[in-house]
Amino acid sequence: DIQENYAESKEIAKPLLIYSHLSEVANGSTVRTNKVSFERYVLSIYFNEIIQAANERFVKMTNERFELIRNEEIAKHGAAGGLDLNVFDRHSGKERSVKSLSGGETFKASLALALGLSDVIQSQQGGVRVDTLFIDEGFGSLDADSLENAIETLIELQSSGRYVGIISHVEELKERIPARIVVESKQEGSHAHIEVD
């Protein structure tokens, strides 16, 4: 009786094994999927497009030195991977983690990725336009050349029909931006006024 019941249960379990295997593949819990879930796999395809769009500006902003690259190494200790970034440094000819970038370089990478994301959204979602961008600080970490590159990128964006808002305390930016909302903090409270050159 036990042998018969065992044989019957094996037959009943056959379809369940198919679904169990499919679930393991979709969740990235098999060796063959390199621990990348189906969701992360799909996201990585979009991420590649964003990186490609971001590099069009990032390479220019870093004077042809850096290029963003998706890190495809398998994550350690079973952690989910596939969506990490490295940079290729043309000065050293080596690839390294984005965590090794300086503050100013990190700001440029973040700006390039934000602009790349907006480009991909616009190209893939017919009718969706990202016309306004607000950038909050980060300019203080840039040297003079880097600041100039960032400003040129933003002016180029503006000339393509987008509105760009910058929140910053950097004096050189105040001089370069023709229309500003100036917020002054006083003892009786903060006041804002518009300045136009």
Side-chain angles (χ1 to χ4, degrees):
D1 286 349
I2 291 169
Q3 284 179 333
E4 283 179 18
N5 288 335
Y6 178 69
E8 280 178 30
S9 65
K10 273 180 75 175
E11 283 300 313
I12 293 167
K14 273 184 182 176
L16 297 176
L17 290 172
I18 294 168
Y19 295 122
S20 172
H21 179 67
L22 186 61
S23 171
E24 287 175 0
V25 171
N27 291 318
S29 53
T30 66
V31 177
R32 278 197 292 175
T33 59
N34 290 335
K35 304 285 184 188
V36 176
S37 69
F38 181 70
E39 180 185 9
R40 289 179 83 81
Y41 174 76
V42 172
L43 285 173
S44 71
I45 293 169
Y46 284 106
F47 195 34
N48 284 340
E49 291 181 35
I50 292 165
I51 292 168
Q52 189 176 350
N55 274 330
E56 290 177 22
R57 294 189 177 92
F58 188 53
V59 169
K60 187 178 173 184
M61 279 192 273
T62 59
N63 295 318
E64 309 283 322
R65 179 176 179 183
F66 293 118
E67 182 182 344
L68 295 167
I69 296 170
R70 186 166 70 92
N71 182 357
E72 298 185 44
E73 286 181 19
I74 299 169
K76 293 178 182 174
H77 309 299
L83 298 176
D84 297 318
L85 272 177
N86 283 346
V87 289
F88 179 73
D89 185 344
R90 290 194 175 103
H91 286 192
S92 67
K94 293 180 181 175
E95 189 176 321
R96 56 187 167 101
S97 170
V98 288
K99 293 173 185 172
S100 66
L101 293 174
S102 69
E105 292 161 351
T106 301
F107 171 75
K108 289 183 214 174
S110 299
L111 178 59
L113 283 166
L115 298 174
L117 176 61
S118 97
D119 290 344
V120 170
I121 288 170
Q122 286 187 159
S123 68
Q124 297 213 345
Q125 303 295 323
V128 173
R129 284 191 50 80
V130 181
D131 289 327
T132 307
L133 291 167
F134 277 92
I135 300 161
D136 186 5
E137 275 306 339
F139 292 96
S141 62
L142 301 176
D143 59 44
D145 288 341
S146 297
L147 182 61
E148 186 61 35
N149 284 340
I151 291 170
E152 282 176 18
T153 301
L154 297 174
I155 289 170
E156 189 180 302
L157 272 176
Q158 188 182 17
S159 64
S160 70
R162 290 185 184 174
Y163 294 102
V164 180
I166 300 168
I167 302 165
S168 182
H169 301 292
V170 177
E171 206 59 44
E172 191 177 335
L173 270 175
K174 294 177 189 176
E175 294 167 10
R176 297 283 300 272
I177 307 300
R180 301 171 297 279
I181 299 172
V182 180
V183 180
E184 294 178 315
S185 179
K186 297 183 179 177
Q187 197 169 0
E188 62 271 18
S190 295
H191 298 280
H193 63 275
I194 296 171
E195 290 181 357
V196 181
D197 292 341

